[in-house]
Amino acid sequence: GSRSAQQGAAGGDGSAGGAVAHTPSTEDFSLSLLDTNLPAEAETELRSFIAKRLTKGALFEGMGNVASVGLSIPEGKVGCYYCRFQQESLLEMATLESDINAPEYVVCFLGGSEKEDTFRLELDKYIQNLKINLDLEQKNLEACVSPYLRNWFEDAICPIQRVVQLFQDKLGSLLHAALSYTPVEVKNADERTEKDISRFLAAASLQGLVQEGTMTSLCIAMTEEQHKSMVIDCSGPQPQLHNAGSNRFCEDWMQAFVNGAEGGNPFLFRQILENFKLKAIQDINNLKRFIRQAEMNHYALFKCYLFLKNCGSGDILLKIVKVEHAEMPEARNVVTVLEEFMRE
């Protein structure tokens, strides 16, 4: 009942197509179509799907959801990202004057399969930028919104794929830089390529998956080692890397990306990236468990050493546990011994 009397919906299209809605016979809101590139029948089905979600109160302002939806299109069942939002300035006014009747919007993007939830954060950010830039005082909504919406797939979904295709067999060094929080400097690149590389590094890092203090300390340590900054020169057809590091772990995963490039599915690349991070986290947790055992057991210390030698990512794992165990004397001693073994 608290929803506005006039709700709109806008949408863009990736591999499948998408957007919503006309007027369902629900008492507390109506849906008006702003933009779509779906066929009429599928658009009606999507409108009905969104109307049901709105009726249940299942859409929170600014927070995207991903669900599987069956539509009358060749793909049949697709993943649907949908997000309800209000223009930024009107949202602030609405909190001050609770009776304000500001229009709200629902954006839907269709693509991938019903299992794809991997790009939700990128799409939330995409909608956030739309909210900031949307000026409802301009009556020509189509001119300011449509071009932005129609680029959603290229801008929010494809950066990882573009980076894989650009770096190819040099991708291992980029994965290594992301895992180890090595500072990266990009030279002679156009704006889109520079953004793509930055987003790939952010997506491949363990931000949010390991303790925040660890990440901060790692960033400080790596930034202080200025000679270890990696430089990417994009002046030629293929990027040239300077001061690049890599290890067997990153090279193996690079191969998985290169093999996946034949199919050219951006959702697959994102899934490989998530699996890469998951394996790195598992290795960190295993090493930490071995270190706890090694505090009291010399055989466990040897197991630590063997694990570091064989996991393919010992250089990075050792840095991470060294930072995490800096305040723990026994564990710190174990790490120091391991460092000496690894150097030898």
Side-chain angles (χ1 to χ4, degrees):
S2 61
R3 294 195 196 93
S4 61
Q6 180 202 353
Q7 287 211 358
D13 161 46
S15 52
V20 316
H22 223 91
T23 310
S25 56
T26 316
E27 291 169 18
D28 62 343
F29 67 88
S30 65
L31 286 169
S32 314
L33 177 66
L34 285 185
D35 188 26
T36 186
N37 59 356
L38 271 180
E41 188 181 351
E43 184 266 314
T44 306
E45 293 162 349
L46 185 58
R47 177 200 319 162
S48 167
F49 169 79
I50 293 298
K52 281 176 189 164
R53 296 289 164 127
L54 284 167
T55 308
K56 290 176 183 172
L59 273 75
F60 295 104
E61 214 281 335
M63 283 174 60
N65 297 272
V66 176
S68 169
V69 57
L71 300 174
S72 302
I73 51 176
E75 293 83 356
K77 215 168 194 186
V78 288
C80 173
Y81 167 91
Y82 55 98
C83 183
R84 177 173 76 87
F85 76 94
Q86 217 172 328
Q87 191 194 358
E88 200 81 330
S89 55
L90 292 176
L91 192 60
E92 287 164 16
M93 286 167 62
T95 53
L96 297 171
E97 307 167 37
S98 55
D99 61 337
I100 194 163
N101 213 14
E104 293 177 74
Y105 300 85
V106 181
V107 176
C108 297
F109 297 131
L110 303 180
S113 74
E114 64 270 20
K115 294 173 186 168
E116 304 303 350
D117 193 13
T118 49
F119 285 97
R120 190 170 50 80
L121 294 177
E122 281 90 342
L123 291 171
D124 279 353
K125 198 175 281 187
Y126 200 70
I127 299 299
Q128 194 61 35
N129 288 336
L130 177 65
K131 277 172 67 173
I132 294 162
N133 298 325
L134 183 62
D135 182 2
L136 291 183
E137 297 310 310
Q138 297 175 3
K139 297 298 177 197
N140 193 354
L141 267 176
E142 195 172 332
C144 68
V145 174
S146 294
Y148 184 82
L149 290 174
R150 287 177 189 278
N151 285 330
W152 76 274
F153 199 73
E154 279 296 309
D155 292 351
I157 308 297
C158 292
I160 292 170
Q161 182 178 22
R162 286 197 293 266
V163 168
V164 172
Q165 289 165 345
L166 178 66
F167 280 79
Q168 296 177 22
D169 59 354
K170 295 179 181 174
L171 192 72
S173 295
L174 205 58
L175 292 169
H176 189 269
L179 267 193
S180 60
Y181 274 77
T182 301
V184 174
E185 193 183 335
V186 182
K187 293 181 173 177
N188 304 316
D190 58 68
E191 190 185 353
R192 187 171 87 162
T193 302
E194 198 166 337
K195 267 189 186 170
D196 284 353
I197 292 170
S198 169
R199 286 171 65 175
F200 183 92
L201 288 166
S205 79
L206 301 181
Q207 190 78 46
L209 297 176
V210 301
Q211 294 168 14
E212 210 168 301
T214 302
M215 286 296 99
T216 308
S217 303
L218 262 179
C219 287
I220 293 167
M222 295 310 287
T223 308
E224 282 171 354
E225 297 177 30
Q226 276 306 324
H227 60 284
K228 289 200 172 176
S229 292
M230 185 169 89
V231 179
I232 301 171
D233 185 352
C234 295
S235 52
Q238 244 214 319
Q240 296 302 309
L241 311 183
H242 306 283
N243 301 331
S246 193
N247 59 29
R248 189 160 41 82
F249 180 80
C250 293
E251 291 301 314
D252 288 346
W253 280 96
M254 176 272 291
Q255 205 53 56
F257 280 102
V258 172
N259 293 343
E262 293 163 17
N265 179 349
F267 294 98
L268 171 65
F269 288 124
R270 184 51 187 266
Q271 196 55 60
I272 296 171
L273 201 56
E274 292 303 313
N275 293 344
F276 162 78
K277 295 197 293 186
L278 182 64
K279 183 69 176 84
I281 287 291
Q282 285 172 344
D283 285 352
I284 290 168
N285 290 338
N286 282 332
L287 179 59
K288 288 200 294 201
R289 194 175 77 249
F290 289 144
I291 287 173
R292 279 198 303 273
Q293 293 167 1
E295 289 173 15
M296 299 164 287
N297 181 325
H298 284 122
Y299 177 66
L301 179 62
F302 184 65
K303 267 172 71 178
C304 274
Y305 167 64
L306 286 181
F307 178 77
L308 281 170
K309 260 189 73 169
N310 297 327
C311 72
S313 195
D315 57 332
I316 294 175
L317 298 189
L318 209 48
K319 273 181 185 161
I320 291 173
V321 294
K322 186 178 181 179
V323 166
E324 283 203 0
H325 294 108
E327 305 300 320
M328 305 173 194
E330 292 90 350
R332 195 174 65 230
N333 290 340
V334 171
V335 172
T336 306
V337 172
L338 288 171
E339 277 185 312
E340 287 171 15
F341 269 109
M342 293 298 282
R343 267 200 301 274
E344 287 169 17

